Amino acid sequence: MRYFLSNKARLDVFGFLKKKHHVKNWKELSEKIQIPYKTVQNWRLGSRYIPDELLKLVPFKFNIIDQKEANWGQRKGGHSGLGISKKLKNKLQKVRMSTGKKVMRNLWKKYGSELTKKAVAGKIKKREKESKQADLKNQNFFINKKIFLDISKIKLSKFDKKKKLKLPEYMSSELAEEIGIHLGDGCLLKKRNYFSVKCNKKEESYISGFVFPLYKKIYNLDLKLMRLPSVSGFETYSQAILEFKNKVLKIPHGKKIGKITVPKCVFETRNKKIYSAFIRGIFDTDGCATIAKGRYPRILISIKSENLLEQIVDMLKKMGFIPVLNKWEICLNGHVMLDKWIREIGSSNPKKITKLKELWAISSAWIERGPAEKMQ
């Protein structure tokens, strides 16, 4: 049983318990009788009925105003306390679903497409608000710090000198994007000072149209397109590039899995353009854009490096994005995130640019039309 006591009775009962257990305050009493402090307070102040197990400890009589069965709280909802059967749960679920569908059909008949448009618009507005709040929260983070790179100890080999190779002296958006490309599809090996970038053969236009001019601008490299059965890209051998990437940018050579991170010289710039360029390089090589359920856009970045993914998530959050991190994958979901991505990060890969535009068109059309076909 559970009892509700008068004010004086509660005062006497808990005063007695306090003396009995030799405690100074109610916190100590809750620890002594192994009952949560909040529960003890609720009993003491009359917010909850007191169980008879506690009152059996009291030797004197006290004024009881009301009493209830021990499981009255469970029975109050209409159940016996043992819980409803699985069969009944499923039946109730089906009833709720059918009722919900019926209500939605009636609303659709009454208000037409305006109802769904408003519902979708409301969700988008909420998402935009969340994104803007994240942007405002981190607006003081971006200070556009210029990071200089110490290349004084990097020696150019005779082949590097022959190629008239140059090394960047400070972090720029071009270098940040190149680093992203490297971490995505690049390979750096100590043996023979090897460095390569190889993409899917379908992205050959990206290599020749964007990557080659980028490497020419940053390193003054004249690269030749290498075509293999499934990939296209380039290979080069340079002591200076190997040392620059490994010793200055701190990119490990050899296997990348689990070892690569966002270089400190990128993160410390606290520059939104540089962050965008770096993430764009990653996306163009190890990312994709897809559509779910025929209308829901998703941007994905998949890399087998938890540290790198966590750092990219942090960068995206600071830029006002709302990323979802799975084990090896970052997801940006919905039209608002797609629109923000296109405006602030975008892509330099023709294939990805086409896909982003396609998704934006599908998503925009669905928002304009509303999910009418699902309710008719």
Side-chain angles (χ1 to χ4, degrees), residues 19 97 119 127 189 196 200 234-235 333 337 346 358:
K19 286 179 182 177
M97 285 175 71
R127 194 74 162 168
L189 298 176
S196 70
N200 189 294
F234 71 85
E235 291 179 343
N333 301 314
M337 290 296 101
E358 181 188 321

Side-chain angles (χ1 to χ4, degrees), residues 133-239:
Q133 284 174 344
D135 247 336
L136 288 169
K137 184 182 175 183
N138 295 295
Q139 64 181 352
N140 295 327
F141 174 81
F142 293 103
I143 57 173
N144 300 338
K145 186 179 178 182
K146 192 166 186 176
I147 301 294
F148 289 92
L149 306 170
D150 183 11
I151 58 171
S152 59
K153 295 178 182 177
I154 305 298
K155 292 181 180 179
L156 273 68
S157 67
K158 62 179 181 179
F159 297 106
D160 293 328
K161 289 174 182 176
K162 190 177 180 181
K163 293 175 188 175
K164 295 182 180 178
L165 186 82
K166 65 176 184 179
L167 297 173
E169 297 178 354
Y170 59 89
M171 182 53 62
S172 63
S173 55
E174 289 87 1
L175 180 57
E177 188 160 358
E178 188 275 326
I179 293 168
I181 293 167
H182 175 172
L183 296 183
D185 277 345
C187 176
L188 187 68
L189 298 176
K190 200 171 183 180
K191 188 178 180 181
R192 297 179 64 197
N193 302 318
Y194 175 86
F195 175 63
S196 70
V197 173
K198 295 171 188 173
C199 294
N200 189 294
K201 199 165 184 70
K202 293 177 183 178
E203 298 176 335
E204 193 173 291
S205 59
Y206 171 58
I207 293 291
S208 57
F210 178 77
V211 175
F212 280 8
L214 182 68
Y215 276 83
K216 177 67 176 175
K217 185 176 181 179
I218 297 171
Y219 300 108
N220 195 37
L221 277 175
D222 292 306
L223 300 166
K224 291 182 180 179
L225 185 65
M226 180 184 69
R227 290 189 177 98
L228 295 173
S230 60
V231 296
S232 293
F234 71 85
E235 291 179 343
T236 189
Y237 302 86
S238 168
Q239 180 184 330

Side-chain angles (χ1 to χ4, degrees), residues 235-246:
E235 291 179 343
T236 189
Y237 302 86
S238 168
Q239 180 184 330
I241 287 179
L242 177 81
E243 289 185 6
F244 173 73
K245 285 182 169 290
N246 185 245

Side-chain angles (χ1 to χ4, degrees), residues 34-47:
Q34 296 183 343
I35 300 291
Y37 174 69
K38 188 76 176 175
T39 304
V40 171
Q41 286 290 76
N42 286 333
W43 288 342
R44 191 174 67 83
L45 299 171
S47 301

